[in-house]
Amino acid sequence: MTARDARLHAFRSDLADARLKGEVAAERFVAGRPARITASVADLRKAPRPDAGVNTQTLFGDDVLVFEDTEGWAWVQAERDGYVGYVAHNMIGAREHAPTHIVSVPRTFLYPGADLRFPIGGQLSMGSTVTVIRSAETRGTHYALLPSGQAIIAGHLRPIAELAEDYVTVAESFLGTPYLWGGVSGFGIDCSGLVQLAMRMTGKDVLRDSDMQAASIGTPFELGADYSGLRRGDLVFWKGHVAVMTDADDMIHANGHTMLVSREGLKEAVERIGYLYGGPTGFRRP
């Protein structure tokens, strides 16, 4: 049998994705059932229990395949990036409406109707996808109405086919967002989650974890000891960490040092990080 990364392939000793039959060993193979994330943010956990570690997250509107659904937990694979894990059963539902728009600001609110004075009924992160069925206007503010009857500020959405031009600009819009291990949203995000979400908004879906990104995004290149030759958009990798260059000298990253998405000079970061984790392990140009 071929070795497979369990983060990206759904297989256990007792159950596996039918597409992996003949490639992995399992007692039973099943086809994934199409479903969709219905929670604002849904944690994808290592095991089917609330105290299990969070590997990553999925956002409202994300499509998943369900391989098992029992005792309040669904074992799923996210279709966008292939990540496998356990999500609470009450956070998934049917794929009832084709998404038309995507949230294009770091965070926005859901209202029970087209009035910003109504008590909010939820919140969504950038990258969440919704179905807009009509528009409304109240006191000069424009709203997008969803099949549920809820409303979103229209200016916080864009059509799915309309892409951002520069992923670094998208990443910069998250400055000050809290750092969250496993986070992929405007409510909390980690280093590789920031890269993934920012690139997604430009139409480029990339893998989730920093080691996956270090092996797959763009083209690797070498730098001299003075780190000259970097430019905006280049990625700098350390063991277990990634940052985005905003220009030749400075970078942006979600980090445990400030516990925020913050700017930092590359040379300062190399010195600060070095005594604990060593120097950069690689550079890639998307």
Side-chain angles (χ1 to χ4, degrees):
M1 298 292 180
T2 304
R4 294 280 183 174
D5 188 335
R7 295 173 295 177
L8 297 175
H9 299 88
F11 65 94
R12 309 182 315 218
S13 62
D14 63 324
L15 183 65
D17 181 352
R19 295 171 296 182
L20 299 178
K21 196 168 187 177
E23 300 179 23
V24 300
E27 296 173 5
R28 186 164 58 97
F29 293 84
V30 299
R33 171 175 60 86
R36 182 167 290 157
I37 298 298
T38 56
S40 172
V41 180
D43 292 334
L44 210 58
R45 299 182 182 272
K46 298 177 182 179
R49 15 175 249 278
D51 62 343
V54 176
N55 280 338
T56 186
Q57 296 175 320
T58 50
L59 301 178
F60 185 92
D62 280 353
D63 287 338
V64 298
L65 294 175
V66 180
F67 299 101
E68 181 182 62
D69 194 347
T70 182
E71 298 183 353
W73 292 92
W75 188 43
V76 307
Q77 182 173 34
E79 292 213 73
R80 181 168 47 82
D81 63 10
Y83 220 104
V84 175
Y86 295 87
V87 67
H89 167 82
N90 62 1
M91 293 184 174
I92 60 173
R95 300 183 188 178
E96 294 183 332
H97 306 279
T100 61
H101 288 71
I102 189 167
V103 176
S104 57
V105 294
R107 296 159 293 277
T108 193
F109 295 119
L110 288 167
Y111 298 94
D115 195 324
L116 57 80
R117 296 178 182 176
F118 289 162
I120 64 169
Q123 52 277 320
L124 295 178
S125 166
M126 179 187 287
S128 301
T129 53
V130 298
T131 304
V132 175
I133 58 172
R134 63 186 179 89
S135 60
E137 181 181 346
T138 303
R139 296 186 302 275
T141 300
H142 296 270
Y143 299 86
L145 280 298
L146 311 184
S148 64
Q150 293 175 301
I152 302 177
I153 300 298
H156 292 179
L157 301 174
R158 62 166 171 74
I160 285 179
E162 185 180 307
L163 303 176
E165 294 183 1
D166 175 28
Y167 94 92
V168 183
T169 299
V170 178
E172 289 172 323
S173 73
F174 284 90
L175 281 167
T177 299
Y179 176 86
L180 178 67
W181 178 271
V184 299
S185 82
F187 308 110
I189 201 162
D190 67 16
C191 63
S192 53
L194 179 65
V195 170
Q196 186 188 49
L197 181 52
M199 287 194 171
R200 178 188 180 187
M201 300 305 291
T202 66
K204 183 177 179 63
D205 283 330
V206 301
L207 295 175
R208 172 63 179 91
D209 293 340
S210 61
D211 66 314
M212 301 174 184
Q213 295 175 357
S216 62
I217 295 178
T219 305
F221 62 94
E222 299 292 332
L223 282 181
D226 62 352
Y227 300 109
S228 62
L230 286 165
R231 66 189 190 196
R232 183 176 175 87
D234 287 344
L235 296 172
V236 183
F237 292 92
W238 286 262
K239 183 180 180 181
H241 189 61
V242 59
V244 179
M245 297 303 296
T246 57
D247 55 38
D249 302 307
D250 301 306
M251 64 187 209
I252 184 173
H253 59 154
N255 63 91
H257 177 63
T258 64
M259 290 302 292
L260 299 167
V261 177
S262 55
R263 295 185 190 274
E264 189 171 7
L266 172 62
K267 292 181 179 179
E268 289 79 5
V270 169
E271 182 177 353
R272 178 181 60 78
I273 295 170
Y275 84 99
L276 283 176
Y277 302 107
T281 57
F283 305 85
R284 297 187 77 96
R285 182 160 292 160

